[in-house]
Amino acid sequence: GIQVEQSPPDLILQEGANSTLRCNFSDSVNNLQWFHQNPWGQLINLFYIPSGTKQNGRLSATTVATERYSLLYISSSQTTDSGVYFCAGGNNNDMRFGAGTRLTVKP
Amino acid sequence: GAVVSQHPSRVICKSGTSVKIECRSLDFQATTMFWYRQFPKKSLMLMATSNEGSKATYEQGVEKDKFLINHASLTLSTLTVTSAHPEDSSFYICSAEAPTGTYEQYFGPGTRLTVT
């Protein structure tokens, strides 16, 4: 099955800094999502982005499907951005998760 | 839109008993739902894919007789952990495929199961 690698595993930022999270896939995918898992375990949908670029406020994402990777950009980070960010993807509805990036934003 | 609920949010049960977890799509119909398991500080692992009106498809290594899945309606899937043991303690999360013609999934808030 599809292997999903996320980097970095951990990231510590000062409030206001920008960051880039990466997700690599072992094979091509037609289904790709980015999530933020809050401290209570709820997965919040950030982007559904099998290809192209999308933006939502301070967050944006780009997927280069031909090169099998996706990037999540967080600008002007806030303490409330802290948590674990997961990417997940696969073919059709068979979606596999990466190991996540644990982001800590310090005031 | 695309809200998914789970009940209960937290459950403690004794070893040997069975526990049922419900997953509901509140404002849309979901032909396909999914069950995941997450250990502390780990990623989500797909357990099974549940299709309305048919048998679930289990991932390799997941015991179908232990984790019974029923998807009897377009808004409800249930996961029953039978004869639970302490090693079944985990965070169980369901999701539903969005009715948008894409493969986007929306997730429930999860159920934390502790088996004593």
Side-chain angles (χ1 to χ4, degrees):
Chain A
I2 296 274
Q3 304 298 315
V4 184
E5 285 187 8
Q6 283 189 248
S7 61
D10 294 279
L11 185 59
I12 300 175
L13 298 175
Q14 210 63 39
E15 198 168 27
N18 302 328
S19 62
T20 301
L21 282 58
R22 186 178 177 108
C23 186
N24 290 332
F25 293 88
S26 60
D27 205 342
S28 59
V29 298
N30 64 5
N31 172 14
L32 197 162
Q33 291 185 247
W34 282 96
F35 301 93
H36 177 209
Q37 188 169 39
N38 69 19
W40 298 273
Q42 172 78 62
L43 282 168
I44 309 297
N45 286 38
L46 297 178
F47 295 102
Y48 175 76
I49 188 166
S51 64
T53 297
K54 290 186 178 180
Q55 180 160 5
N56 185 3
R58 295 182 295 105
L59 272 59
S60 64
T62 295
T63 296
V64 184
T66 53
E67 297 191 17
R68 307 196 302 269
Y69 74 88
S70 184
L71 302 174
L72 176 70
Y73 305 98
I74 304 174
S75 64
S76 304
S77 58
Q78 300 175 358
T79 56
T80 51
D81 294 332
S82 296
V84 182
Y85 289 81
F86 288 105
C87 69
N91 286 302
N92 302 330
N93 64 11
D94 182 17
M95 193 163 72
R96 307 292 159 160
F97 277 73
T101 292
R102 184 170 298 275
L103 174 65
T104 303
V105 181
K106 296 191 170 181
Chain B
V3 178
V4 177
S5 71
Q6 270 185 253
H7 178 79
S9 58
R10 189 180 292 265
V11 58
I12 301 172
C13 70
K14 291 185 183 299
S15 199
T17 61
S18 295
V19 174
K20 181 186 284 189
I21 302 170
E22 293 185 347
C23 177
R24 294 181 185 274
S25 55
L26 297 185
D27 51 0
F28 66 102
Q29 293 185 330
T31 305
T32 307
M33 291 183 168
F34 307 85
W35 288 95
Y36 295 83
R37 183 174 181 176
Q38 186 179 30
F39 289 107
K41 297 191 185 298
K42 297 293 186 184
S43 187
L44 279 75
M45 301 297 294
L46 179 65
M47 298 175 66
T49 301
S50 166
N51 293 297
E52 187 268 337
S54 64
K55 290 184 179 181
T57 303
Y58 290 82
E59 292 299 302
Q60 193 170 6
V62 177
E63 298 176 60
K64 61 182 180 182
D65 294 331
K66 180 165 192 60
F67 298 101
L68 300 179
I69 292 172
N70 184 276
H71 192 163
S73 81
L74 288 172
T75 58
L76 173 64
S77 176
T78 61
L79 168 68
T80 301
V81 183
T82 63
S83 187
H85 290 284
E87 57 265 31
D88 298 325
S89 299
S90 191
F91 192 54
Y92 293 88
I93 311 175
C94 73
S95 70
E97 196 168 278
T100 56
T102 68
Y103 299 111
E104 186 172 8
Q105 293 181 27
Y106 286 88
F107 284 76
T111 295
R112 191 162 304 281
L113 170 64
T114 302
V115 184
T116 61

